[in-house]
Amino acid sequence: EIFIFSSMYSWVWDVKMDWGLGKKDYNWLGPRLMFPSTLHYYGVIVADLFLRFLWMQSLVPPSSGAHFELPAYLIAVSMVLELIRRTLWSF
């Protein structure tokens, strides 16, 4: 669906364009890294993907008939996690 395509496109944009990562010649990272451990970068890349899809699920309208809606009590949790994702994105 359009939500999945949009989330994937945005994730690729975050990794390649905003962070300058995703370069095959550098083990899917970039030529200049700010942190000494590459595990931090891989962890943030995976977290960004997971959290982006979690946020996307909170945007699906209940009337869409989707089978993957978040329960109402998790909407607030997903909003906090989206703030964390955006904070990770800013580094």
Side-chain angles (χ1 to χ4, degrees):
E1 285 202 21
I2 191 74
F3 289 114
I4 294 170
F5 176 76
S6 174
S7 291
M8 284 302 296
Y9 181 83
S10 298
W11 176 73
V12 169
W13 188 272
D14 281 352
V15 172
K16 291 188 76 59
M17 304 304 282
D18 291 339
W19 294 342
L21 302 175
K23 295 181 178 16
K24 192 174 182 180
D25 295 342
Y26 297 98
N27 292 326
W28 301 107
L29 296 177
R32 292 181 19 223
L33 302 177
M34 190 166 122
F35 301 108
S37 173
T38 57
L39 266 165
H40 288 84
Y41 293 95
Y42 293 121
V44 170
I45 289 170
V46 171
D48 187 59
L49 179 66
F50 173 76
L51 294 173
R52 183 171 287 284
F53 273 96
L54 183 67
W55 176 248
M56 182 264 315
Q57 288 183 345
S58 71
L59 300 177
V60 175
S63 61
S64 71
H67 299 287
F68 53 85
E69 293 178 41
L70 283 179
Y73 66 90
L74 285 180
I75 299 291
V77 173
S78 72
M79 290 179 184
V80 171
L81 291 173
E82 176 63 9
L83 289 173
I84 292 170
R85 186 194 70 79
R86 289 177 184 244
T87 301
L88 291 173
W89 177 82
S90 67
F91 287 103

